[in-house]
């Protein structure tokens, strides 16, 4: 009887997994047929992609690209292609050509260096099939975690099965309500979302040291998020939510609100000096609005 129940549970059940990935905690939920098997495959997908995309791992494909100026990798090609799209659509605020800045900044934030970046870069990036060439170091961090969430969520999805992936503040469409974490260190959520769009949150409160955080704006050559917190819901995918949360965090309030309002398939909540600023449609994604 016990073996029979176990077999039924394997065919149809619910499972949760939690593991470290991309310097944060990933949480996976799978419900339905072969939930356990799909959750295992999803974790393997996330960890495999992290190995390829971790710029601080010298053996990764991203490190090889930045070291040698070229790499053939379908995942990097997809991320770079999207990064170039967002560079155009944000007038250079989202710029993947700042790999040297990103590496120096992250090294400082981790406490491994006392040096902050001062000079921003520009260069040429080309794509041919899955082959990427560049004459400048690339920063794919503003897209990589969202990409990993997207690909991991795809692994969970199947006939008779659904799933949910949360990678820190980046999420696939939630299967239930989710809370937006407060940047002020208290347990009261900013909002509770009920949405079938992808979610990403950015802000200086997550990773900072001596008043400096991971956000930068290459168009003004400035460091630091301009807001306490930015949460984005995006219809397209988590990679878009991830990129736009980072972009809005880098922009002054008026420019951030304008960009968010004009971007089709996107709604945003910006917390600036303790004041909530939302796009017109954001409340449609909030529970008990």
């Amino acid at each position: 009887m016990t073996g029979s129940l176990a077999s039924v549970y394997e065919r149809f059940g619910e499972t949760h997994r939690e593991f470290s990935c991309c310097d944060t905690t990933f949480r996976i939920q799978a419900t339905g047929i072969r939930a356990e098997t799909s959750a295992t495959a999803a974790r393997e997908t996330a960890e495999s992609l992290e190995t390829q995309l971790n710029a601080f791992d010298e053996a990764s494909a991203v490190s090889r690209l930045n070291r040698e100026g070229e790499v053939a990798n379908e995942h990097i090609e997809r991320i770079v292609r999207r990064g170039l799209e967002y560079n155009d659509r944000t007038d250079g605020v989202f710029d993947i050509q700042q790999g040297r800045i990103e590496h120096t900044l992250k090294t400082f934030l981790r406490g491994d260096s006392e040096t902050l970046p001062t000079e921003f870069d520009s260069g040429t990036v080309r794509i041919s099939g899955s082959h990427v060439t560049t004459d400048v170091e690339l920063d794919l961090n503003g897209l990589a975690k969202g990409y990993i969430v997207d690909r991991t969520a795809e692994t969970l999805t199947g006939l008779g099965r659904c799933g949910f992936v949360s990678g820190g503040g980046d999420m696939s469409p939630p299967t239930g309500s989710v809370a937006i974490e407060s940047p002020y260190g208290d347990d009261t959520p900013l909002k509770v979302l009920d949405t079938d769009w992808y979610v990403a949150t950015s802000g200086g409160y997550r990773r900072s040291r001596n008043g400096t955080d991971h956000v930068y704006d290459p168009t003004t050559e400035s460091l630091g998020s301009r807001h306490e917190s930015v949460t984005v819901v995006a219809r397209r995918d988590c990679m878009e939510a991830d990129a736009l949360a980072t972009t809005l965090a880098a922009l002054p309030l008026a420019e951030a609100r304008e960009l968010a309002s004009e971007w089709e398939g996107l709604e945003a909540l910006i917390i600036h000096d303790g004041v909530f600023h939302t796009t017109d449609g954001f409340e449609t994604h909030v529970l008990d609005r």
Side-chain angles (χ1 to χ4, degrees), residues 140-213:
L140 305 184
N141 193 61
L143 292 164
K145 185 149 67 79
Y147 181 82
I148 292 173
V149 168
D150 286 332
R151 302 288 80 77
T152 302
E154 284 179 0
T155 308
L156 288 177
T157 303
L159 181 64
R161 185 177 64 249
C162 63
F164 168 65
V165 179
S166 172
D170 296 359
M171 304 176 191
S172 65
T175 54
S177 60
V178 295
I180 301 176
E181 181 181 74
S182 170
Y184 305 116
D186 56 72
D187 295 329
T188 303
L190 298 178
K191 297 276 187 178
V192 177
L193 299 180
D194 180 14
T195 182
D196 57 1
W197 287 13
Y198 299 83
V199 182
T201 297
S202 182
Y205 74 98
R206 289 183 173 273
R207 285 171 290 178
S208 64
R209 179 185 174 211
N210 298 341
T212 300
D213 58 62

Side-chain angles (χ1 to χ4, degrees), residues 29-65:
Q29 174 187 318
T31 305
I33 298 172
R34 298 181 63 81
E36 286 283 343
T37 301
S38 70
T40 297
R43 176 171 180 170
E44 290 172 353
T45 295
E47 292 176 338
S48 173
L49 288 171
E50 181 190 27
T51 298
Q52 297 174 67
L53 302 176
N54 183 2
F56 279 83
D57 181 353
E58 292 186 358
S60 74
V62 169
S63 290
R64 188 162 67 254
L65 172 62

Side-chain angles (χ1 to χ4, degrees), residues 180-250:
I180 301 176
E181 181 181 74
S182 170
Y184 305 116
D186 56 72
D187 295 329
T188 303
L190 298 178
K191 297 276 187 178
V192 177
L193 299 180
D194 180 14
T195 182
D196 57 1
W197 287 13
Y198 299 83
V199 182
T201 297
S202 182
Y205 74 98
R206 289 183 173 273
R207 285 171 290 178
S208 64
R209 179 185 174 211
N210 298 341
T212 300
D213 58 62
H214 68 288
V215 177
Y216 59 83
D217 180 357
T219 65
T220 59
E221 298 193 353
S222 59
L223 303 177
S225 174
R226 296 179 184 269
H227 322 291
E228 289 95 301
S229 174
V230 175
T231 295
V232 163
V233 291
R235 183 171 53 213
R236 184 177 184 180
D237 54 21
C238 194
M239 190 157 48
E240 177 143 300
D242 193 8
L244 268 293
T246 301
T247 301
L248 298 181

